[in-house]
Amino acid sequence: MIEKRAAISVEEAVRRVMRYAYVGGTEKVAIHEAYGRFLGEDLIATYDIPFFDRSAFDGYAVRSADLETASRENPVTLEVVGAIGAGSIHEAEVKAGQTVRIMTGAPIPKGCDAVVMLELVAEQENKIVVKRSIKKGENISVTGEDTKKGTILAAKGTRINPGITALLATFGYAEVTVAKKPTVGVMATGSELLRIEEPLEPGKIRNSNGYMILSQIERAGGKPVNLGQFTDDLEVCYENMKEAISKVDFLITTGGVSVGDFDLLPELYERLGAKVLFNKVRMRPGSVTTIAEKNGKLLFGLSGNPSACYVGFELFARPVIQTFLHSSNPFVRKVKAFLGIDFPKPNPFDRFVRGHLTYSEGKLVAKPSGLDKSNVVSSLAAANALIRLPGGTRGFQKGMEVEVLLLEDQEGTGKW
């Protein structure tokens, strides 16, 4: 019996899925293992930066009062009483008429309140001659100028990049509290599927979707669990799915979501007692994307067509994974770009074209990354964006401005 499906908008589908998105737990990892993870708590400055007043340049630490009258006509001579390199200090207080040679980053000695840059002095044996006045505080980086103690440097849910790693080290975070990665199971269904090491044969294809989704999960920040591939045997799939649900945070299946006699997912969801959130979306590719929940756990039924599978993951699974990771910007970031080719075909549904972005004459230009069919794999390799062409249109012309979703972007956005 053919199942009747009511199509909903992409926006409504996203809303229904996100009602079941939740924030996961945290764990501690060593700083050298933190890159690419998501902060499980705010990164807070534990002290002022700089921690002390320090020289902004190589030069001489001076008392500004000593140089108040200095000029070309009235040069002032100061006695050099020491030298300070970065990491060392000058113990004695600098008195009137004295100066100390100082390197960039070295602490300002007692008694001094300014630094004269090296190129502005004439050096003599144990003395310098200065021909200009200087203001108090000049060429000094004062305590807390960069960062004050208690400042939130990066919010919880921020992806840890090399710059954040530098901050973690600066403030002594040898261990870092990060969001736990959600375990995301991947099951590929279909009697037509071959394992990647098997030779091709008529009527069969290799399981590319499973490995593609595993990579997409990693890019989103999750921990992929390869549950293998299963034939179109209802009992086998049911038992495997029931077991898988108990072991993972989210479950993704590929294939079996259409309306043919051999597509098992609707019946599997019914037998599992899962609530179907939707089973048709007004989009191309991937209109038959089906998502359900079982005891609050989301089950993503993605299309067996590679491009449809890819798009379904980015629109629906990725923001759920990112939310689990404490991100306040779980959705793929969107920008405007100009179409590089015509799309004359009318669109009854929203169309998500695998695209490649480039700059041309200062403008962001979006073109398809390959053949725009849902069963095509090759267009995914060069795709760094999805070009969104809204439904209900009569086509698009080259040069028109459109919305594109940035697939490789790590910042994201807080709104769909």
Side-chain angles (χ1 to χ4, degrees), residues 370-390:
L371 187 61
D372 184 34
K373 289 187 176 181
S374 64
N375 63 332
V376 170
V377 179
S378 57
S379 63
L380 295 169
N384 59 10
L386 295 176
I387 306 168
R388 186 179 189 182
L389 305 177

Side-chain angles (χ1 to χ4, degrees), residues 86-103:
S88 62
I89 61 173
H90 183 76
E91 297 284 358
E93 183 175 352
V94 177
K95 298 181 179 176
Q98 295 181 335
T99 185
V100 173
R101 179 78 163 87
I102 194 166
M103 306 301 171

Side-chain angles (χ1 to χ4, degrees), residues 39-45 151-161 163-165 167-168 171 173:
L39 288 172
E41 61 185 15
D42 293 341
L43 170 54
I44 297 173
T151 300
I152 296 176
L153 303 166
K156 177 175 66 175
T158 301
R159 185 176 182 272
I160 298 172
N161 60 26
I164 290 177
T165 301
L167 289 174
L168 290 165
F171 292 101
Y173 289 90

